[in-house]
Amino acid sequence: MIRTVLGSAVALAGAAVAVLSPFRDWYGGRLGRSYRVRDLFGDLTPDRPPLLMSLLLPFVLAAVLAVLGVLLRQRLLVALAGLVALGFTVLWMVRLGQAEGGLIIAGDGSGLGRGVAGAAGGGVLLLLGAVLMPGRRSIRRRRPPPYTAPGSAHPDTWPPTPEPGPAHITSLWPEPEPEPYTGPTSTDRRAARDGEEDTLSLPTVAPSEDRPRGDGTPHA
């Protein structure tokens, strides 16, 4: 959080300094906004261009990139803004040095002015802000790993998923399953047949008159 605030503040400060630099003296009392952008790729002319066609244009572009980078938390945009500011500053110095035969630094304002220092300093602050910013991290939801079937060491594990329920019970043997009923077996048939034979082999006793009844009195 601290790095985000600090990096954003440094980057925005660098963008502000870079945008204000064309309104200051760049060389020999001449403002930066009095140089054409296309003159940097050709011969420098003393003509004063419109504001949007001057050196203000690349620095405004760098400021827009910096603001977008801060809002989106994209370090690359902030770093690109710093490279744009530094690149056009160095390119202007190279073209002016070729036209003037060299660059001088004088305290009376006849050499490089504060505008060049502001443009270069703004680019450096933008790069420093990009380094300080932590950047935007993509948030990915961690999905639980899929359940894999137990191996031979644990053939029966229940429940298979970490859902609310009974505790995990691990058994070395599979659970016994009841066998489906398929009717009487051969053993049952043999036992029933043996029982019928025993019943049929019993002798039958005819009722006798001398045999007492259930109440103890003989038959009449």
Side-chain angles (χ1 to χ4, degrees):
M1 183 64 181
I2 298 178
R3 289 186 58 186
T4 302
V5 175
L6 182 60
S8 301
V10 172
L12 293 177
V17 172
V19 171
L20 294 177
S21 64
F23 296 94
R24 295 191 175 185
D25 296 339
W26 276 53
Y27 193 81
R30 187 177 178 182
L31 301 180
R33 61 191 178 101
S34 62
Y35 292 95
R36 294 177 181 269
V37 176
R38 65 181 183 181
D39 290 347
L40 301 181
F41 305 95
D43 296 331
L44 296 179
T45 60
D47 299 335
R48 185 173 181 177
L51 190 61
L52 296 180
M53 298 181 62
S54 64
L55 280 179
L56 179 63
L57 180 61
F59 292 102
V60 169
L61 177 61
V64 171
L65 291 176
V67 172
L68 290 178
V70 170
L71 294 178
L72 300 177
R73 295 183 182 180
Q74 294 290 340
R75 302 172 59 183
L76 293 179
L77 290 178
V78 179
L80 180 61
L83 293 177
V84 169
L86 284 177
F88 275 91
T89 302
V90 173
L91 180 60
W92 174 86
M93 295 177 66
V94 171
R95 296 300 301 155
L96 185 64
Q98 293 177 352
E100 298 290 337
L103 299 177
I104 60 174
I105 300 176
D108 56 356
S110 60
L112 295 175
R114 296 181 179 179
V116 180
V124 172
L125 288 177
L126 287 171
L127 293 179
L128 181 60
V131 173
L132 294 176
M133 290 177 61
R136 184 177 182 179
R137 298 177 180 178
S138 59
I139 302 177
R140 299 180 179 178
R141 296 181 179 179
R142 296 182 178 179
R143 297 182 178 179
Y147 173 76
T148 56
S152 58
H154 304 283
D156 187 18
T157 302
W158 185 262
T161 57
E163 297 179 355
H168 292 268
I169 302 175
T170 304
S171 174
L172 297 179
W173 304 99
E175 296 181 358
E177 298 182 358
E179 297 181 359
Y181 178 75
T182 57
T185 59
S186 59
T187 304
D188 297 336
R189 295 191 186 96
R190 188 180 303 108
R193 190 181 304 108
D194 295 341
E196 292 177 356
E197 293 176 356
D198 294 341
T199 302
L200 295 176
S201 60
L202 293 177
T204 57
V205 179
S208 176
E209 296 179 356
D210 298 335
R211 187 177 180 180
R213 297 180 178 178
D215 55 357
T217 60
H219 292 276

